[in-house]
Amino acid sequence: MKQFNTTLMAAMAMAIGLSGAPLAQATTPDNQLVIATSLAQVLSVDPQQGTEPKTQEILAGVYDRLVYSDDAANNTIKPQLAETWEIDNSGITFHLRQAAFASGNQVTARDVAFSLTRLLKLNQSASAYYKSAGYNAQNIDSLVKVIDEKTFRIELTDKVTAEDLLYRLAMGISSIVDSVEVERHVDHDDYGNAWLRTHVAGSGPYTLRRWVPNETVILETNNRFWGDAPAMKRVIMRHVPESQTARLMLERGDVDIANALTAPDVKSFVGNQAFRVEQVKIGGFYVLAMNAGRKPLDNPLVREAIAYGIDYEGITGTILGPYGRQRNVPVPEDWAGAIANPDWSFQPEKAKKLLAQAGYPDGFSLTLKTIAQPPRVDIATALQANLAQIGIRIEIKQGNGADIVSAHRARDFDLLLPQATAIMPNALGAMNDFVTNPDNRLAAKNAGNFVWRSAWDIPELNALRNQASSERDAGKRAELLTTLQEKFVAAKPAVLPMFESFFPIVLQKSLQGYHTNLWSLNRLEHVTKTK
C-alpha cells in the first residue's frame, strides 16, 4: 500500500448543531469495522465464480487459499493454508496446516483438489486464469493429486512456471471450499453453485452473516479460525454509491473506511490529521473495450483514430487524480520490463485523417456502456466530449454491475469501460488479460476471456504470450515480453488501456493494521483501533 499524503496537518472541527451546542462526533464500536463502499458489482460470493474487486474483499475474509501474495513484502508468496511446499521440475507439493472450516469439518488435501477441480469444471469466467496456464476441465483430474490427508500436489503444464502457478494459487478464485458442505448442496450437477452464490463454506477469519444485494454485507468472526482471533468481531460493508454521502459518513465517524469516493472527495481529506489517505497500486487499468466484431471498430485505422482522439492528460488531471495516470501499454510503467508509452495523445486532426483513410470522413455514431460508479461515469462523459471533436458521436448507457458485466460477456456493446487486473505482479501477469484469446469464435463461448469479449482475434499475440509463459529462462522471457508489448501497440488494440488504475481509500486515523492486496484480497484479522 502506498501512502498518498505525507504530512497530516489540520484537526477536524466538531459539528455544531442548529441550537449552537457542540455535538460529539459519532464513532463506530471498538470491535466493529464499517466500510462505505459500492456493492453494485457483487453478483455472487461463489469464489470460483465471482471475480470483481468488491467480491474479492468479501472472499478475503471468509476463505483461505494455499498461499497469499504479501504486498508489504514486494508481493512475496507466503503460507496460508499450506505451511510449506516443495517445487521440483514437474510440480509443487504442499503440506497443509491443521485447520477447520466454519462448519467444523477439517481442511484436507481432498478439499484443495475439489476446489481447483471445481473451478475448471464449473467453467465460469474465473477459470480463464487457469486455462491460460494449460489447465482445463479435461486434464485437471490428472494434474492434481491427494497424497494423504494433509499433502496435496499439483503438476505443472508446459504453459506455466512454478512461480506463475503460485501466484494463481494466491488468487481469490483459488479459495479452498469445504467439499463436504458444498457437496451437500449440489443441485443437478451444478457443483453447488446455486447455493454458494449466496452462502460461504470457508476457513477464513470471518463467515458471512448477511448479504443483501446493493445494500449491505455483514461478516462475523469464525470461532473455528486457525489463526489469531480478529479484534474486529463484525465487519459491515455498506453500499454507499453516492460519494458525497460516503464522505459525510466518514467525517461524522459513521464509517471507518470509504473506498468508492470521487477524486475531489478523496482530495478533501488530504492534510486532515483525523484521516489517512492511501493509494493502492493494483497493476490494473481502465480500459476502453471496442467491439471488433462490429463495424467500424473492426478496422485498425478506426481504433487508432480513437486512440488519438482521447485527451488522456486532461482526464487524468480533472477526473482521475488519485485514481490513475495515463498508460497505453498494459504493463505499469515502473514494473520491470515495461516499454515506453506510444505517442498516443489528444491529436484530433490526426485522428480525423485516420478516420478519412478508413472511409469515415463524416464520422459515425456509437454507444458507450459503463457501470454507474466513479470514476467511470466521468471518464465516459469526457470520452463523449473528446470523440465528438473528431466526428464520433457517443451515446452513454449507464447500468448496474449485472447489466454491464452481462453485456460485456455477451459481446453486446460498441464501446464499454471495464477494468483489467494483473494476475501476477510482473509484466506477463499484467498483460495476460490483453493478449490471451485462444479461440475467437462466438461458439467458443469464452466469456471469461477479456479479449474474447471484444471479438478481437489475435492468434499471433496469443501464441507469443504462450511462448513467454512457458519460457523458463528469465532473459529469454524478458525479450519475449518486450516483443509482446511492441506488437500489442502495433496491432491498434481493441482493448485499449487508457490509464493505469489506482485504488484510493480514506481511513480513520485510529484504524491500524488494514493492509491491501494486489487483487483486493484484504485480510482483516489484524485490524485494530487506537484511541
Side-chain angles (χ1 to χ4, degrees):
M1 187 187 298
K2 177 182 176 183
Q3 185 98 349
F4 181 65
N5 60 316
T6 55
T7 305
L8 301 172
M9 299 169 57
M12 285 186 64
M14 297 296 288
I16 304 298
L18 293 176
S19 64
L23 298 176
Q25 182 183 3
T27 56
T28 58
D30 290 344
N31 64 351
Q32 182 169 291
L33 181 67
V34 185
I35 304 172
T37 188
S38 171
L39 299 173
Q41 289 183 268
V42 180
L43 310 178
S44 166
V45 291
D46 185 332
Q48 276 86 54
Q49 180 177 43
T51 57
E52 294 75 26
K54 302 305 178 186
T55 305
Q56 299 303 300
E57 291 186 27
I58 299 169
L59 297 180
V62 297
Y63 287 100
D64 292 312
R65 287 138 291 279
L66 285 173
V67 294
Y68 75 99
S69 173
D70 187 352
D71 285 32
N74 296 317
N75 292 301
T76 301
I77 292 293
K78 293 188 176 181
Q80 201 161 83
L81 279 179
E83 287 187 308
T84 60
W85 56 90
E86 296 100 34
I87 299 172
D88 55 48
N89 290 333
S90 60
I92 311 175
T93 302
F94 295 91
H95 304 280
L96 307 184
R97 69 173 69 249
Q98 291 296 326
F101 292 105
S103 67
N105 297 323
Q106 291 296 302
V107 177
T108 68
R110 180 181 181 275
D111 297 301
V112 180
F114 175 86
S115 301
L116 297 180
T117 302
R118 179 180 185 272
L119 170 66
L120 273 305
K121 295 193 174 182
L122 191 60
N123 200 29
Q124 296 284 331
S125 62
S127 65
Y129 296 114
Y130 275 80
K131 289 179 179 177
S132 66
Y135 298 91
N136 56 53
Q138 289 70 47
N139 67 15
I140 188 63
D141 286 315
S142 65
L143 295 173
V144 298
K145 184 177 181 181
V146 176
I147 296 175
D148 59 40
E149 188 174 80
K150 291 295 182 181
T151 311
F152 167 80
R153 180 173 173 83
I154 182 168
E155 302 294 338
L156 299 173
T157 72
D158 60 1
K159 292 183 178 179
V160 70
T161 65
E163 178 190 18
D164 292 353
L165 179 57
L166 283 170
Y167 278 115
R168 283 173 168 83
L169 289 168
M171 298 178 73
I173 59 172
S174 303
S175 296
I176 308 306
V177 302
D178 183 341
S179 61
V180 175
E181 187 67 18
V182 172
E183 286 176 332
R184 289 181 55 238
H185 296 91
V186 171
D187 183 19
H188 295 90
D189 298 322
D190 73 340
Y191 300 95
N193 175 244
W195 183 76
L196 268 184
R197 286 176 64 90
T198 56
H199 298 78
V200 298
S203 59
Y206 293 92
T207 189
L208 180 65
R209 171 66 181 273
R210 186 176 184 223
W211 170 33
V212 180
N214 291 324
E215 183 179 311
T216 188
V217 169
I218 300 177
L219 308 180
E220 290 191 344
T221 50
N222 170 17
N223 293 328
R224 293 189 171 96
F225 178 53
W226 52 268
D228 296 332
M232 300 295 105
K233 302 303 180 185
R234 174 177 287 190
V235 177
I236 300 174
M237 301 178 183
R238 298 178 60 177
H239 180 57
V240 189
E242 299 83 12
S243 179
Q244 287 190 337
T245 302
R247 175 174 59 81
L248 291 172
M249 293 172 71
L250 194 61
E251 290 173 341
R252 289 197 306 258
D254 296 333
V255 299
D256 301 298
I257 300 172
N259 62 21
L261 299 172
T262 61
D265 282 331
V266 171
K267 290 177 182 177
S268 72
F269 288 96
V270 175
N272 189 324
Q273 70 177 16
F275 301 94
R276 196 166 72 252
V277 183
E278 294 179 347
Q279 189 182 51
V280 183
K281 188 175 180 61
I282 61 173
F285 294 85
Y286 290 108
V287 179
L288 180 60
M290 311 179 212
N291 193 335
R294 295 182 179 180
K295 291 185 178 300
L297 297 168
D298 61 334
N299 190 325
L301 288 173
V302 169
R303 300 198 298 266
E304 186 178 14
I306 289 174
Y308 280 110
I310 299 172
D311 185 3
Y312 307 98
E313 184 177 348
I315 293 173
T316 300
T318 61
I319 295 172
L320 285 180
Y323 273 95
R325 62 185 175 192
Q326 179 184 355
R327 179 65 174 160
N328 304 120
V329 180
V331 179
E333 64 183 34
D334 54 353
W335 282 20
I339 68 170
N341 218 52
D343 72 339
W344 292 336
S345 57
F346 190 45
Q347 301 181 45
E349 293 308 315
K350 183 170 185 175
K352 288 177 184 178
K353 288 179 181 178
L354 287 165
L355 287 180
Q357 277 182 258
Y360 300 96
D362 299 321
F364 44 82
S365 298
L366 298 171
T367 60
L368 170 59
K369 294 185 176 181
T370 181
I371 292 173
Q373 67 182 39
R376 282 190 253 193
V377 172
D378 292 332
I379 294 174
T381 303
L383 292 177
Q384 182 184 51
N386 291 167
L387 296 177
Q389 296 185 52
I390 66 171
I392 300 178
R393 298 167 292 280
I394 300 294
E395 177 189 1
I396 297 173
K397 293 187 177 181
Q398 299 182 36
N400 60 31
D403 294 336
I404 302 304
V405 170
S406 295
H408 195 201
R409 292 175 177 173
R411 295 180 168 180
D412 180 22
F413 66 94
D414 296 331
L415 304 174
L416 192 141
L417 288 180
Q419 278 185 274
T421 302
I423 67 167
M424 296 176 286
N426 56 34
L428 181 61
M431 293 198 75
N432 186 79
D433 276 353
F434 294 87
V435 293
T436 305
N437 190 8
D439 187 346
N440 194 54
R441 295 175 305 125
L442 183 63
K445 297 182 179 179
N446 194 8
N449 187 290
F450 199 71
V451 175
W452 182 91
R453 298 178 191 181
S454 285
W456 187 37
D457 199 10
I458 51 167
E460 183 183 7
L461 291 177
N462 189 78
L464 191 56
R465 188 215 74 88
N466 288 343
Q467 187 180 352
S469 182
S470 5
E471 180 55 63
R472 266 52 170 177
D473 183 277
K476 292 179 180 178
R477 178 185 255 205
E479 291 177 4
L480 289 169
L481 291 174
T482 295
T483 302
L484 186 57
Q485 292 172 76
E486 292 169 347
K487 286 184 175 294
F488 172 83
V489 172
K492 319 305 178 192
V495 282
L496 174 66
M498 298 182 293
F499 310 98
E500 184 187 349
S501 59
F502 302 132
F503 188 35
I505 58 175
V506 184
L507 310 88
Q508 299 283 353
K509 187 66 181 299
S510 60
L511 205 65
Q512 304 296 320
Y514 182 84
H515 299 295
T516 57
N517 175 273
L518 182 68
W519 303 297
S520 298
L521 293 170
N522 309 328
R523 295 281 279 200
L524 303 173
E525 63 261 43
H526 299 301
V527 173
T528 60
K529 294 180 182 179
T530 59
K531 296 297 183 182

